[in-house]
């Protein structure tokens, strides 16, 4: 038999191809995936779906640039590395709309000025990246419907920041340093993130949800809604170890702080700043607030509602109504073991109360260091409160306080039990 001259080469080639397919199967890739990895270079512009086949090391400026719509860049476990300049991955059409619908995923970005920057890009998806040694990690500007999820972020400047977006989703990220900043937007979802050494700051934001985040050791404020923040929900977060746990400030109104655990903050657990609405008030309800300097400080000059909270073992007062507050409802809270008063309404400097606008109703206040309830301005209506085992009086109220009836006080340190309000046993 005469052997064909190319038979040996064909056999070797066939074996190599069979081996490649076998490896692909063992690695969980399809044969098309096994052939799709691409070698890239620093500064390359990516215009089609790309899976990296190599690391980039010491990129002098930007790492990679997305230059077309509907592109998926899969780092495939590889690293894009810089020298402290530029941006690791850029999605930006130099001021023009797009590229839209970019997906960036599955790899490492480190040692750039900014890890990932997305500008004027709709529906971008940033997922499963590990970003480290970038002063700023992820920035999205004017990019509605951005979805930022499951990233591991270490930053010294900003962690994750979105500006002028809309309906952003920031979900299930781990952020160390820099925190999450979101502003000038509506309809955002910030859920399931774990943050350390940085909080969540949201300004000029509406109809958004901040749910089931864990925020710790942040230095200043854990969750801060400010600057005309309206109709937002802050729910089921765990916030601990900073100066102020949760804060509303600067004309923030119609917000609800519900079902959070706020603990171990040096100044206060929850702070309501000025600017609430008399028609649709800020609400603080069903939270657990303990071990802070002060439990809840209400300085809201709208008509805030503080209801159904458990407030205990704070170093100072449980609830402190500051000034100038003209309308409030403190309803059905349980307060115990606070170092000062359970509830304190201090004297006002400048905003007189109007009868019917301020109510303390249905609260249980026990075992606090001073009074169960102290009222230093009038007229405030006290109804159906139960005061027990407080250090001084059950209720200490000034003349002019309105007795709504049903208040009970017993086993308090002062034998009078209540002052200027009638209390049953």
């Amino acid at each position: 038999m005469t052997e064909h001259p190319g038979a040996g080469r064909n056999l070797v080639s066939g074996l190599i191809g069979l081996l490649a397919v076998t490896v692909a199967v063992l690695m969980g890739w399809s044969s098309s995936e096994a052939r799709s990895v691409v070698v890239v270079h620093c500064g390359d512009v990516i215009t089609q779906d790309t899976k990296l086949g190599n690391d980039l090391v010491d990129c002098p400026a930007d790492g990679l640039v997305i230059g077309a719509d509907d592109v998926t860049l899969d780092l495939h476990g590889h690293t894009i590395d810089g020298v402290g300049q530029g941006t690791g991955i850029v999605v930006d059409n130099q001021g023009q709309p797009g590229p839209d619908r970019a997906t960036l995923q599955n790899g490492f970005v480190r040692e750039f000025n900014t890890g990932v920057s997305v500008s004027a890009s709709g529906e971008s998806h940033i997922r499963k990246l590990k970003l480290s040694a970038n002063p700023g990690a992820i920035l999205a500007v004017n990019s509605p419907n951005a979805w930022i999820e499951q990233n591991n972020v270490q930053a010294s400047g900003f962690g994750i920041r979105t500006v002028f977006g809309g309906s952003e989703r920031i979900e299930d990220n781990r952020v160390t340093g820099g925190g999450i900043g979101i502003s000038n937007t509506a309809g955002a979802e910030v859920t399931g993130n774990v943050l350390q050494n940085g909080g969540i700051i949201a300004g000029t934001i509406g109809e958004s949800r901040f749910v089931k985040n864990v925020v710790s050791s942040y230095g200043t404020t854990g969750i801060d809604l400010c600057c005309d923040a309206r109709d937002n929900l802050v729910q089921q977060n765990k916030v601990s170890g900073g100066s102020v746990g949760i804060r509303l400030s600067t004309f923030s109104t119609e917000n609800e702080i519900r079902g959070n655990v706020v603990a171990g903050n040096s100044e206060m657990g929850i702070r309501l700043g000025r600017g609430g609405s008399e028609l649709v008030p800020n609400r603080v309800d069903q939270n657990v607030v303990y071990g802070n300097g002060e439990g809840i400080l209400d300085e809201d000059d709208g008509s805030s509602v503080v209801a159904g909270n458990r407030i205990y073992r704070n170093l100072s007062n449980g609830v402190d109504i500051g000034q100038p507050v003209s309308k409030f409802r403190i309803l059905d809270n349980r307060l115990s073991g606070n170092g000062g008063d359970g509830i304190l309404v201090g004297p006002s400097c400048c905003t007189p109360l109007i009868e019917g606008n301020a109510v303390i109703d249905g609260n249980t206040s026990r075992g606090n260091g001073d009074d169960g309830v102290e009222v230093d301005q009038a007229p405030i209506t006290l109804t159906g409160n139960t005061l027990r085992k407080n250090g001084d009086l059950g209720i200490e109220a000034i003349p002019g306080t309105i007795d709504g009836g049903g208040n009970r006080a017993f086993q308090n340190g002062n034998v009078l039990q209540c002052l200027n309000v009638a209390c049953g046993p």
Side-chain angles (χ1 to χ4, degrees):
M1 176 183 295
T2 301
E3 183 175 327
H4 192 282
R9 290 193 301 273
N10 291 338
L11 178 61
V12 172
S13 177
L15 288 172
I16 291 173
L18 178 60
L19 178 61
V21 171
T22 303
V23 169
V25 171
L26 291 174
M27 295 297 290
W29 306 334
S30 70
S31 59
S32 61
E33 287 177 319
R35 293 194 300 267
S36 66
V37 294
V38 176
V39 174
V40 295
H41 304 88
C42 293
D44 279 358
V45 178
I46 308 300
T47 58
Q48 60 185 4
D49 291 352
T50 299
K51 181 179 292 184
L52 295 196
N54 62 297
D55 295 337
L56 296 179
V57 179
D58 290 342
C59 291
D62 295 335
L64 295 174
V65 178
I66 304 300
D69 293 345
D70 301 299
V71 167
T72 294
L73 174 62
D74 188 343
L75 275 61
H76 197 43
H78 287 289
T79 297
I80 301 177
D81 173 82
V83 294
Q85 306 294 320
T87 301
I89 304 173
V90 181
V91 183
D92 189 349
N93 199 16
Q94 297 183 351
Q96 301 302 314
D100 292 328
R101 296 175 297 280
T103 297
L104 316 174
Q105 62 186 22
N106 299 335
F108 302 81
V109 182
R110 67 186 187 195
E111 294 189 283
F112 291 90
N113 184 52
T114 303
V116 174
S117 178
V118 179
S119 180
S121 172
E123 302 182 39
S124 289
H125 191 184
I126 303 167
R127 62 188 299 269
K128 294 186 177 180
L129 297 178
K130 183 170 184 179
L131 301 106
S132 61
N134 310 287
I138 299 174
L139 174 64
V141 178
N142 193 25
S143 296
N145 298 298
W147 186 8
I148 302 170
E149 61 155 344
Q150 300 182 58
N151 300 285
N152 191 322
V153 172
Q154 298 176 15
S156 58
F158 61 85
I160 298 172
R161 185 179 180 191
T162 68
V163 184
F164 295 109
S167 301
E168 299 96 322
R169 295 167 59 185
I170 303 175
E171 300 175 334
D172 301 321
N173 301 281
R174 300 187 68 88
V175 183
T176 302
I180 294 173
I182 179 169
S183 63
N184 298 95
T185 190
E189 297 275 341
V190 181
T191 62
N193 302 284
V194 177
L195 296 90
Q196 188 171 22
N197 299 327
I200 298 172
I201 300 176
T204 317
I205 184 170
E207 301 176 356
S208 297
R209 291 166 24 97
F210 302 82
V211 177
K212 293 185 177 179
N213 301 286
V214 177
V215 189
S216 63
S217 303
Y218 34 83
T220 54
T221 304
I223 300 177
D224 191 351
L225 273 59
C226 74
C227 317
D228 197 27
R230 292 176 177 267
D231 194 18
N232 301 291
L233 174 66
V234 180
Q235 184 174 32
Q236 293 183 286
N237 302 281
K238 295 180 179 179
V239 187
S240 63
S243 177
V244 179
I246 299 173
R247 182 174 71 167
L248 302 181
S249 61
T250 318
F251 305 108
S252 295
T253 188
E254 304 176 30
N255 301 289
E256 183 169 11
I257 301 173
R258 168 184 283 265
N260 303 280
V261 176
V262 187
N265 295 282
S266 61
E267 291 188 24
M268 62 204 67
I270 298 173
R271 181 173 185 171
L272 303 183
R274 298 188 62 186
S277 167
E278 295 186 4
L279 298 177
V280 185
N282 291 311
R283 293 187 60 92
V284 179
D285 56 0
Q286 301 182 41
N287 301 281
V288 177
V289 183
Y290 70 95
N292 306 283
E294 191 160 48
I296 298 173
L297 174 61
D298 185 353
E299 299 173 307
D300 183 356
D301 57 349
S303 54
S304 54
V305 177
V306 178
N309 302 282
R310 290 180 56 205
I311 306 165
Y312 61 94
R313 294 205 304 269
N314 298 286
L315 294 178
S316 183
N317 305 301
V319 175
D320 183 350
I321 302 297
Q323 54 179 324
V325 176
S326 59
K327 289 187 177 183
F328 57 85
R329 300 285 188 274
I330 306 176
L331 311 172
D332 303 316
N333 300 284
R334 288 182 289 166
L335 307 105
S336 63
N338 299 289
D341 298 313
I343 299 171
L344 171 63
V345 183
S348 175
C349 68
C350 38
T351 306
L353 292 172
I354 299 172
E355 183 174 342
N357 282 352
V359 174
I360 300 175
D361 187 348
N363 301 281
T364 299
S365 185
R366 58 173 292 172
N368 300 289
D370 195 0
D371 302 314
V373 176
E374 179 176 341
V375 173
D376 293 329
Q377 60 174 307
I380 293 174
T381 303
L382 276 70
T383 305
N385 300 286
T386 300
L387 306 313
R388 179 186 179 194
K389 290 187 176 180
N390 297 288
D392 191 8
L393 289 157
I395 297 176
E396 180 177 351
I398 64 172
T401 299
I402 299 172
D403 186 348
N407 297 293
R408 301 173 62 234
F410 51 98
Q411 298 178 329
N412 297 287
N414 192 316
V415 295
L416 295 177
Q417 299 300 317
C418 291
L419 186 63
N420 293 311
V421 173
C423 291

